[in-house]
Amino acid sequence: MHLAPSILAADFSRLGAQVAEAEAAGVQRLHVDVMDGHFVPNLSMGPAVVEALRPHTRLLIEVHLMVEQPAKFTAAFIGKGADLVIVHHEVLEDARPLLSEIKNRGKRAGLAINPHTPVDVLVPYLPMLDHALCMTVHPGFGGQPFLADSPPRIARLRQLINTHNPKCDLEVDGGIDARTAPAVLAAGANVLVVGTGIFCNPLGIAAAIRELQALVPS
Ligand code: DX5
Ligand code: ZN
């Protein structure tokens, strides 16, 4: 299991320190949520944030592009140091050319689906995907409650991944914390995005991470 803290929930005035604390606690990735005010009704971060973090962390940086025109931005994020670029199925008639472009630039390519998108739309893409992301909230804001009908979708996606490309990661994103994580892990997720559950946890960042790590025997 990999943990991918979503920096959207971090204290931006202390971003470097908070990322360092998460890294020291043993997370494997950083999740950067990019919102354009069109695909989702909110604005967030651009390539400058990846550029600022890159020299300060060895973690894999994954960029989740919640934008209407991902093809416009992938090269910029890769140029600033993103290791994995995740684009949304809903904005692409055929995701293959963009996924190939990301891979041709030597980076990992991921495809995300919203809660209302049927999981089976991913089948034609799975052989070329490094990463499949199943949203467990409607994208746009951190701190939303986990959608309770998500586990069967995750289980179906796990089945499809095992059939078509077992090396593909299955990530879940939205409302994940120590209370909701057991159900997504049981359904077959192997990468958990956690924003509020880590950066806004009253236990503190390191203790929140330890609590999540303890859910999976190492
Ligand atoms: C939602 C984002 C998520 C979100 C997760 O639009 O894609 O990555 O920041 O945050 P929490 O864990 O607070 O739901
Ligand atoms: Zn995200």
Side-chain angles (χ1 to χ4, degrees), residues 4 6-9 31-35 40 64 66 88 133 135-146 173-177 193-198 200:
S6 164
I7 61 168
L8 187 65
H31 185 85
V32 179
D33 284 308
V34 178
M35 305 179 181
V40 291
H64 178 194
M66 288 164 279
H88 263 267
L133 192 169
M135 290 302 302
T136 47
V137 298
H138 295 282
F141 299 91
Q144 303 181 73
F146 176 77
D173 184 4
I176 309 293
D177 58 18
V193 177
V194 187
T196 307
I198 288 177
C200 306

Coordinates of all heavy atoms in Angstrom, one line a residue, residues 4 6-9 31-35 40 64 66 88 133 135-146 173-177 193-198 200, ligand 1:
A4 N -0.5 8.6 -0.5 CA -0.2 9.8 -1.3 C -0.9 11.0 -0.6 O -2.1 11.3 -0.9 CB -0.7 9.6 -2.7
S6 N -2.4 14.4 0.0 CA -2.9 15.5 -0.9 C -2.5 16.8 -0.3 O -3.1 17.2 0.7 CB -4.4 15.4 -1.2 OG -4.8 16.6 -1.8
I7 N -1.6 17.5 -0.9 CA -1.2 18.8 -0.3 C -2.2 19.9 -0.4 O -2.1 20.9 0.2 CB 0.2 19.3 -1.0 CG1 0.0 19.6 -2.5 CG2 1.3 18.3 -0.7 CD1 1.2 20.3 -3.0
L8 N -3.3 19.6 -1.1 CA -4.4 20.6 -1.1 C -4.9 20.9 0.3 O -5.3 22.0 0.6 CB -5.6 20.0 -1.9 CG -6.8 20.9 -2.2 CD1 -6.4 22.0 -3.1 CD2 -7.9 20.1 -2.8
A9 N -4.8 19.9 1.2 CA -5.2 20.1 2.6 C -4.1 20.7 3.5 O -4.3 20.9 4.7 CB -5.7 18.8 3.2
H31 N 0.6 14.0 -3.6 CA -0.5 14.2 -4.6 C -0.8 15.6 -4.7 O -1.1 16.3 -3.8 CB -1.7 13.4 -4.0 CG -2.9 13.4 -4.9 ND1 -3.1 12.4 -5.9 CD2 -4.0 14.1 -5.0 CE1 -4.2 12.6 -6.5 NE2 -4.8 13.6 -6.0
V32 N -0.7 16.1 -6.0 CA -0.9 17.6 -6.3 C -2.2 17.7 -7.1 O -2.3 17.3 -8.2 CB 0.3 18.1 -7.0 CG1 0.1 19.6 -7.4 CG2 1.6 17.9 -6.2
D33 N -3.2 18.4 -6.5 CA -4.5 18.5 -7.1 C -4.5 19.8 -7.9 O -4.4 20.9 -7.3 CB -5.6 18.6 -6.0 CG -5.9 17.2 -5.5 OD1 -6.1 16.3 -6.3 OD2 -5.8 17.0 -4.3
V34 N -4.7 19.7 -9.2 CA -4.7 20.9 -10.1 C -6.2 21.1 -10.6 O -6.7 20.2 -11.2 CB -3.8 20.6 -11.3 CG1 -3.8 21.8 -12.2 CG2 -2.3 20.4 -10.7
M35 N -6.7 22.3 -10.3 CA -8.1 22.6 -10.6 C -8.1 23.9 -11.4 O -7.4 24.8 -11.1 CB -8.9 22.8 -9.3 CG -8.9 21.6 -8.4 SD -9.8 21.9 -6.9 CE -9.5 20.3 -6.0
V40 N -13.8 21.6 -12.8 CA -14.4 21.6 -11.4 C -14.5 23.1 -11.0 O -13.8 23.9 -11.5 CB -13.4 20.9 -10.4 CG1 -13.4 19.4 -10.6 CG2 -12.0 21.5 -10.4
H64 N -2.6 15.4 -10.3 CA -4.0 15.0 -10.6 C -4.6 16.2 -11.3 O -5.0 17.2 -10.7 CB -4.7 14.7 -9.3 CG -6.2 14.3 -9.5 ND1 -7.1 14.2 -8.5 CD2 -6.9 14.0 -10.6 CE1 -8.2 13.9 -8.9 NE2 -8.2 13.7 -10.2
M66 N -7.4 18.0 -12.7 CA -8.9 18.2 -12.8 C -9.1 19.4 -13.7 O -9.5 20.5 -13.2 CB -9.4 18.3 -11.4 CG -9.4 17.0 -10.6 SD -9.7 17.2 -8.9 CE -8.0 17.7 -8.4
H88 N -8.2 13.2 -16.6 CA -9.6 12.7 -16.4 C -10.2 12.1 -17.7 O -10.1 12.8 -18.8 CB -10.5 13.7 -15.8 CG -10.6 13.6 -14.3 ND1 -11.6 12.9 -13.7 CD2 -9.8 14.0 -13.4 CE1 -11.4 12.9 -12.4 NE2 -10.4 13.6 -12.2
L133 N -7.2 5.9 -11.4 CA -7.7 6.6 -10.2 C -9.2 6.6 -10.1 O -9.9 7.1 -11.1 CB -7.2 8.0 -10.2 CG -7.3 8.9 -8.9 CD1 -6.6 10.1 -9.0 CD2 -8.8 9.2 -8.6
M135 N -12.3 8.1 -8.3 CA -12.7 9.2 -7.4 C -13.7 8.6 -6.4 O -14.7 7.9 -6.8 CB -13.3 10.4 -8.1 CG -12.3 11.2 -8.9 SD -10.9 11.9 -8.0 CE -11.7 12.8 -6.7
T136 N -13.6 8.9 -5.1 CA -14.5 8.5 -4.1 C -15.2 9.7 -3.5 O -15.9 9.6 -2.5 CB -13.8 7.6 -3.0 OG1 -12.6 8.3 -2.6 CG2 -13.4 6.3 -3.6
V137 N -15.1 10.9 -4.1 CA -15.9 12.1 -3.9 C -16.0 12.7 -5.3 O -15.3 12.4 -6.2 CB -15.3 13.1 -2.9 CG1 -15.1 12.5 -1.5 CG2 -14.0 13.7 -3.5
H138 N -17.0 13.7 -5.4 CA -17.0 14.4 -6.7 C -15.9 15.4 -6.6 O -15.7 16.2 -5.6 CB -18.4 15.2 -6.8 CG -19.5 14.2 -7.0 ND1 -19.7 13.5 -8.1 CD2 -20.4 13.7 -6.1 CE1 -20.7 12.7 -8.0 NE2 -21.1 12.8 -6.7
P139 N -15.0 15.5 -7.6 CA -13.8 16.3 -7.5 C -14.1 17.8 -7.4 O -15.2 18.2 -7.9 CB -13.1 16.0 -8.8 CG -14.1 15.5 -9.8 CD -15.1 14.8 -8.9
G140 N -13.2 18.5 -6.8 CA -13.3 19.9 -6.7 C -13.0 20.5 -5.4 O -12.5 21.6 -5.3
F141 N -13.1 19.7 -4.3 CA -12.8 20.3 -3.0 C -12.3 19.1 -2.1 O -12.7 18.0 -2.2 CB -14.1 20.8 -2.3 CG -14.7 22.0 -3.1 CD1 -15.6 21.7 -4.1 CD2 -14.3 23.3 -2.9 CE1 -16.1 22.8 -4.9 CE2 -14.8 24.3 -3.7 CZ -15.7 24.1 -4.7
G142 N -11.4 19.5 -1.2 CA -10.9 18.6 -0.2 C -12.0 18.5 0.9 O -12.9 19.4 1.0
G143 N -11.8 17.6 1.8 CA -12.6 17.5 3.0 C -14.1 17.1 2.8 O -14.9 17.3 3.7
Q144 N -14.4 16.4 1.7 CA -15.8 16.0 1.5 C -15.9 14.5 2.1 O -14.9 13.8 2.1 CB -16.1 15.9 0.0 CG -16.0 17.2 -0.7 CD -16.4 17.0 -2.2 OE1 -17.5 16.9 -2.5 NE2 -15.4 17.0 -3.1
P145 N -17.2 14.1 2.4 CA -17.3 12.8 2.9 C -17.2 11.7 1.8 O -17.6 11.9 0.7 CB -18.8 12.8 3.5 CG -19.5 13.9 2.9 CD -18.4 14.9 2.5
F146 N -16.6 10.6 2.1 CA -16.4 9.4 1.3 C -17.8 9.0 0.8 O -18.7 8.8 1.5 CB -15.7 8.4 2.1 CG -15.5 7.0 1.4 CD1 -14.5 6.9 0.5 CD2 -16.4 6.0 1.7 CE1 -14.4 5.6 -0.1 CE2 -16.2 4.7 1.1 CZ -15.2 4.6 0.2
D173 N -9.4 8.3 -4.2 CA -9.1 9.7 -3.9 C -10.4 10.4 -3.4 O -11.4 10.5 -4.2 CB -8.6 10.4 -5.2 CG -8.2 11.9 -4.9 OD1 -8.3 12.4 -3.8 OD2 -7.8 12.5 -5.9
G174 N -10.4 10.8 -2.2 CA -11.6 11.6 -1.6 C -12.2 11.0 -0.4 O -12.6 9.8 -0.4
G175 N -12.1 11.7 0.7 CA -12.7 11.2 1.9 C -12.1 10.0 2.6 O -12.7 9.3 3.4
I176 N -10.8 9.8 2.3 CA -10.1 8.6 2.8 C -9.5 9.0 4.2 O -8.7 10.0 4.3 CB -9.0 8.0 1.9 CG1 -9.6 7.8 0.5 CG2 -8.4 6.8 2.5 CD1 -10.6 6.7 0.3
D177 N -9.7 8.2 5.2 CA -9.1 8.4 6.5 C -9.0 7.0 7.1 O -9.4 6.0 6.5 CB -9.8 9.4 7.4 CG -11.2 9.1 7.6 OD1 -11.6 7.9 7.4 OD2 -12.0 10.0 8.0
V193 N -5.0 8.3 -1.6 CA -4.8 9.7 -1.5 C -5.5 10.1 -0.2 O -6.7 9.8 0.0 CB -5.5 10.5 -2.7 CG1 -5.4 12.0 -2.5 CG2 -4.9 10.1 -4.0
V194 N -4.8 10.9 0.6 CA -5.4 11.3 1.9 C -5.0 12.8 2.1 O -3.8 13.1 2.2 CB -4.9 10.5 3.1 CG1 -5.7 10.9 4.3 CG2 -5.1 9.0 2.8
G195 N -5.9 13.7 2.1 CA -5.7 15.1 2.3 C -6.0 15.5 3.7 O -5.1 15.5 4.6
T196 N -7.3 15.8 4.0 CA -7.7 16.2 5.3 C -7.3 15.2 6.4 O -6.9 15.6 7.5 CB -9.3 16.3 5.2 OG1 -9.6 17.2 4.1 CG2 -9.8 16.9 6.5
G197 N -7.4 13.9 6.1 CA -7.2 12.9 7.1 C -5.7 12.9 7.5 O -5.4 12.3 8.6
I198 N -4.8 13.5 6.8 CA -3.4 13.6 7.2 C -3.1 15.1 7.7 O -2.7 15.3 8.8 CB -2.4 13.2 6.1 CG1 -2.5 11.7 5.9 CG2 -1.0 13.7 6.4 CD1 -1.6 11.2 4.8
C200 N -5.0 17.7 8.2 CA -5.9 18.4 9.2 C -6.3 17.5 10.4 O -7.2 17.7 11.1 CB -7.2 18.9 8.5 SG -6.9 19.9 7.1
Ligands
DX5_1 C1 -10.7 16.3 -4.7 C2 -9.2 16.0 -4.8 C3 -8.7 15.2 -3.7 C4 -8.8 15.8 -2.4 C5 -8.7 14.8 -1.3 O1 -11.1 17.1 -5.7 O2 -8.9 15.3 -6.0 O3 -7.3 14.8 -3.9 O4 -7.9 16.8 -2.2 O5 -8.8 15.4 -0.1 P1 -9.6 14.7 1.1 O6 -8.7 13.6 1.6 O7 -9.6 15.9 2.1 O8 -10.9 14.3 0.6

